[in-house]
Amino acid sequence: MTTTSDLGVVTTKVPARLDRLPWSRFHWRIVIGLGTVWILDGLEVTIVGAVAARMTEPGSGINLTSADIGTAAAIYVAGACVGALLFGRLTDRYGRKKLFMLTLGIYILATVATAFAHDAWFLYLARFVTGMGIGGEYAAINSAIDELIPARNRGQTDLAINGSYWIGAALGSLVAVLLLNENLLSADLGWRLAFGLGGLLGLGVMLVRRHVPESPRWLFIHGKEAEAERIVDRIEAEVRRETQRELPEPGEAVTVRQRDVIPFREIAGVAVRRYPRRAVLGLALFVGQAFLYNAIVFDLGTLLNGFFDIGSGSVPYFLALFAIANFLGPLLLGRLFDTVGRKPMIAGTYFGSAVVAAVLAVLLVSGSLTAWGFFLLVSLTFFVASAGASSAYLTVSEVFPMETRALSISLFFAIGTAVGGITGPLLFGHLIHSGDADLVAIGFLVGAAAMALGGLAEVFFGVRAEQQSLENIARPLTAEEADAAWRDEPAPQDARDRSRPERDRRAADEREQRIADRTARRRERERTGARRYRPGTGSGSRMYSPGMAGTAGTASRTSAMAEQRLDDEVEQITQALQESGATSRDQLEHAVSGRSWGPGRFRRALRESEREARIKGVGKSSYAPADGRGRSGSGPDDPHEQQ
């Protein structure tokens, strides 16, 4: 039930109803329909890099130089900045679904138009509009994903979706190998089909996306409570049919004060007046990574072709390996951002990539680099930089107040990318066109300097945000309004606590203690010994894609709710085994509906239950209550188990 007062205050259980839903086909539709934009972006950027060398060759059907390729890349990034700012505001004003359908349509039309480019000016125009579509996609879909995926699954879903960028990059490189093979396609046709492929993939995504509903959260905040309730009713009915189970009761209602779109000038004001050091930090990190990434990613193909005589048909192989190196960076280094800490890891990755880029520049001047030597150093630079670049988005999502978080990312993205992401491709494109290796080396030194400045900003202004609640890192703006209200009223929570039965209060206290102990043990395991260096993404790291407008730090933002959900799942496993006795893993998963918890959640809860000695393994892939109080505790060969 949702109510709205005349003062624009909305009280609703819609968020709680969405967050308590089990994982279902509906959520997979969200992931496929909205999350595949990362693959599109990876495909788009990599295809341009892969076919760029072909577009500068005679017989390609378009008269371009390597400088023109750099200019086209800069224009694409400028379009992404404009699209993020423009469509970001429209997304908040007109709704998520209208905009993520519109921006995908713009992307499809513009990328197909690129395939018909016959001159540089037409290519520039098509690339700018394509960039607008991609930039707008980020603004629309990130909001929708955050608002439709259950809180307990939001962090890992967000991480997986972001990482899919490099899947698209690798696919784009490999597909380009076929499209640039002149034995199959003529020189003036293959690169055009490469762009057409992006449009075809976009059409497939649009067919799935048609079935994604408007965000109920956006609807009730904008005065459309009845429609929000109807959408949630339909989702719940679908999930009930799929799981054939009744849904648990939703949590408490929330009260939200309606508000118009927060202007960018207000966000800038909050950053400058309240957090000036953090504003400098965010800009330094964004400018550094945007310059280095956009300069090299868009121009790597022409670099390999122009200076190391790598044929345009072979360039995609190198770009596929380059994409893998970028994917492995956050995967292998990401956990260290939570265990070793934000400041040492962010500063270390920025300084590390700067050092490798500087070494590459020196060797380039000396003329001692072979094609493979150059490529390995570039890949090493971006293996480190990829993890560092992730931290720019992660940092901005953590260090500013909740109400400004998503738009803060868009604002810093637009400014940082406009400064670094546009100048980088422009500069490198002209340096490559000069044919002078010394000048190209200067470009790498400039990129190294930009990353080093980001590292220095982290040393002096960085925030130790690891393992901390976001509300402790940056106080929410609306908390001040709440404080004012509390001065005039008695503490309602205390009154509610006094009115609750003693048994309920005791159970709640025990639950909080279990969660606190579990969290403390896990953090201790992650911070000590060799485990702190274990490969993995970690809870606070995030995959990076060039031009990514980013998402809010959803994994950290919902950590408290995720811990409560994990406690519920551990309790369900424990109780199920106490009722049934020794049970196989598959039967236990079926008994507690573990598959509906979401990808990987049953496995995690089972492992946590064993670690806490709530259950024990017996035989092969079978479990029993650790205290032996189950109805049958004799193991998998118990007669009752075989009935």
Side-chain angles (χ1 to χ4, degrees), residues 196-531:
L197 178 65
L200 184 63
L201 180 59
L203 283 174
V205 173
M206 181 170 281
L207 292 176
V208 178
R209 192 173 286 189
R210 289 183 308 134
H211 302 290
V212 175
E214 179 57 87
S215 165
R217 285 177 163 98
W218 182 88
L219 288 169
F220 74 70
I221 288 176
H222 288 78
K224 300 180 180 180
E225 301 86 2
E227 186 177 352
E229 298 281 358
R230 286 196 298 271
I231 289 176
V232 177
D233 287 343
R234 289 200 301 269
I235 296 172
E236 289 177 337
E238 177 186 341
V239 173
R240 285 193 191 96
R241 288 194 301 270
E242 180 182 340
T243 62
Q244 297 183 345
R245 290 175 179 267
E246 282 302 312
L247 299 173
E249 286 297 315
E252 294 184 1
V254 296
T255 300
V256 179
R257 184 175 297 278
Q258 293 178 323
R259 187 176 181 185
D260 291 333
V261 176
I262 301 176
F264 284 108
R265 63 178 179 274
E266 182 174 340
I267 298 172
V270 169
V272 172
R273 289 193 300 270
R274 292 183 57 172
Y275 300 105
R277 292 163 62 92
R278 297 182 182 188
V280 172
L281 172 65
L283 284 176
L285 294 179
F286 265 88
V287 170
Q289 59 85 19
F291 182 94
L292 188 67
Y293 251 95
N294 289 286
I296 304 302
V297 170
F298 282 106
D299 292 312
L300 183 56
T302 49
L303 259 172
L304 291 169
N305 178 259
F307 287 85
F308 296 97
D309 296 323
I310 302 298
S312 58
S314 300
V315 165
Y317 292 111
F318 286 87
L319 295 183
L321 294 174
F322 179 74
I324 293 172
N326 277 273
F327 179 77
L328 291 177
L331 182 68
L332 299 179
L333 301 178
R335 187 179 297 276
L336 305 184
F337 286 79
D338 282 332
T339 57
V340 176
R342 297 284 196 271
K343 288 190 69 171
M345 286 307 300
I346 294 174
T349 50
Y350 270 72
F351 285 136
S353 59
V355 168
V356 180
V359 170
L360 190 155
V362 171
L363 294 177
L364 197 61
V365 170
S366 69
S368 59
L369 282 176
T370 63
W372 277 107
F374 169 79
F375 180 74
L376 289 174
L377 282 175
V378 168
S379 298
L380 178 60
T381 300
F382 284 89
F383 171 84
V384 180
S386 170
S390 316
S391 63
Y393 297 91
L394 176 62
T395 297
V396 174
S397 74
E398 288 182 324
V399 302
F400 292 104
M402 174 186 66
E403 298 87 345
T404 68
R405 187 168 294 129
L407 287 178
S408 291
I409 294 174
S410 295
L411 182 63
F412 279 91
F413 161 78
I415 296 174
T417 304
V419 174
I422 296 175
T423 57
L426 275 175
L427 175 63
F428 260 79
H430 285 82
L431 293 178
I432 294 169
H433 181 62
S434 71
D436 189 339
D438 292 350
L439 292 179
V440 174
I442 291 175
F444 275 100
L445 289 175
V446 173
M451 292 296 285
L453 287 175
L456 286 173
E458 181 64 30
V459 169
F460 290 105
F461 305 135
V463 178
R464 296 188 180 278
E466 64 274 5
Q467 310 292 348
Q468 290 196 46
S469 164
L470 290 177
E471 287 69 32
N472 292 336
I473 300 169
R475 181 180 174 83
L477 301 178
T478 52
E480 297 175 356
E481 299 177 8
D483 288 345
W486 279 73
R487 295 189 198 103
D488 300 327
E489 299 179 7
Q493 184 61 50
D494 292 343
R496 286 198 300 269
D497 286 344
R498 287 194 298 270
S499 66
R500 292 165 59 189
E502 176 65 25
R503 184 179 60 184
D504 291 348
R505 292 204 302 272
R506 187 164 57 248
D509 290 343
E510 291 174 355
R511 173 188 173 94
E512 290 178 5
Q513 188 60 48
R514 284 197 309 270
I515 292 174
D517 291 344
R518 181 180 298 124
T519 303
R521 287 194 300 269
R522 182 167 60 252
R523 289 178 178 174
E524 185 62 24
R525 289 195 304 270
E526 291 178 346
R527 289 175 177 174
T528 58
R531 286 178 177 268

Side-chain angles (χ1 to χ4, degrees), residues 4 89 127 132 149 174 181 213 277 314 366 391 419 457:
T4 307
R89 291 181 63 85
R127 298 307 295 157
M132 285 189 65
I149 296 294
L174 295 175
N181 187 336
R277 292 163 62 92
S314 300
S366 69
S391 63
V419 174

Side-chain angles (χ1 to χ4, degrees), residues 45 48-49 66-80 123-124 127-128 131 294-295 297-299 417 421-426 429:
V45 172
V48 174
S66 54
D68 293 331
I69 296 296
T71 302
I75 288 174
Y76 172 82
V77 175
L123 177 70
Y124 296 160
R127 298 307 295 157
F128 181 82
N294 289 286
V297 170
F298 282 106
D299 292 312
T417 304
I422 296 175
T423 57
L426 275 175

Side-chain angles (χ1 to χ4, degrees), residues 60-278:
S60 65
I62 186 170
N63 185 25
L64 296 178
T65 65
S66 54
D68 293 331
I69 296 296
T71 302
I75 288 174
Y76 172 82
V77 175
C81 293
V82 172
L85 293 173
L86 171 63
F87 294 119
R89 291 181 63 85
L90 296 179
T91 296
D92 279 338
R93 188 175 298 275
Y94 296 110
R96 308 336 188 185
K97 182 164 186 174
K98 288 186 178 70
L99 268 296
F100 65 58
M101 294 299 288
L102 173 64
T103 53
L104 181 59
I106 290 173
Y107 163 80
I108 292 172
L109 292 175
T111 196
V112 170
T114 308
F116 294 94
H118 53 83
D119 208 344
W121 71 267
F122 189 94
L123 177 70
Y124 296 160
L125 177 61
R127 298 307 295 157
F128 181 82
V129 179
T130 304
M132 285 189 65
I134 287 291
E137 277 282 281
Y138 295 140
I141 68 162
N142 288 331
S143 302
I145 288 173
D146 274 3
E147 294 166 6
L148 290 170
I149 296 294
R152 65 185 179 278
N153 303 113
R154 198 176 298 151
Q156 64 181 14
T157 303
D158 188 58
L159 184 67
I161 287 173
N162 290 337
S164 68
Y165 171 89
W166 293 108
I167 296 175
L171 288 175
S173 299
L174 295 175
V175 169
V177 171
L178 297 176
L179 297 178
L180 296 180
N181 187 336
E182 292 191 53
N183 293 324
L184 300 175
L185 300 167
S186 62
D188 64 342
L189 180 61
W191 68 266
R192 298 182 188 276
L193 291 179
F195 287 106
L197 178 65
L200 184 63
L201 180 59
L203 283 174
V205 173
M206 181 170 281
L207 292 176
V208 178
R209 192 173 286 189
R210 289 183 308 134
H211 302 290
V212 175
E214 179 57 87
S215 165
R217 285 177 163 98
W218 182 88
L219 288 169
F220 74 70
I221 288 176
H222 288 78
K224 300 180 180 180
E225 301 86 2
E227 186 177 352
E229 298 281 358
R230 286 196 298 271
I231 289 176
V232 177
D233 287 343
R234 289 200 301 269
I235 296 172
E236 289 177 337
E238 177 186 341
V239 173
R240 285 193 191 96
R241 288 194 301 270
E242 180 182 340
T243 62
Q244 297 183 345
R245 290 175 179 267
E246 282 302 312
L247 299 173
E249 286 297 315
E252 294 184 1
V254 296
T255 300
V256 179
R257 184 175 297 278
Q258 293 178 323
R259 187 176 181 185
D260 291 333
V261 176
I262 301 176
F264 284 108
R265 63 178 179 274
E266 182 174 340
I267 298 172
V270 169
V272 172
R273 289 193 300 270
R274 292 183 57 172
Y275 300 105
R277 292 163 62 92
R278 297 182 182 188

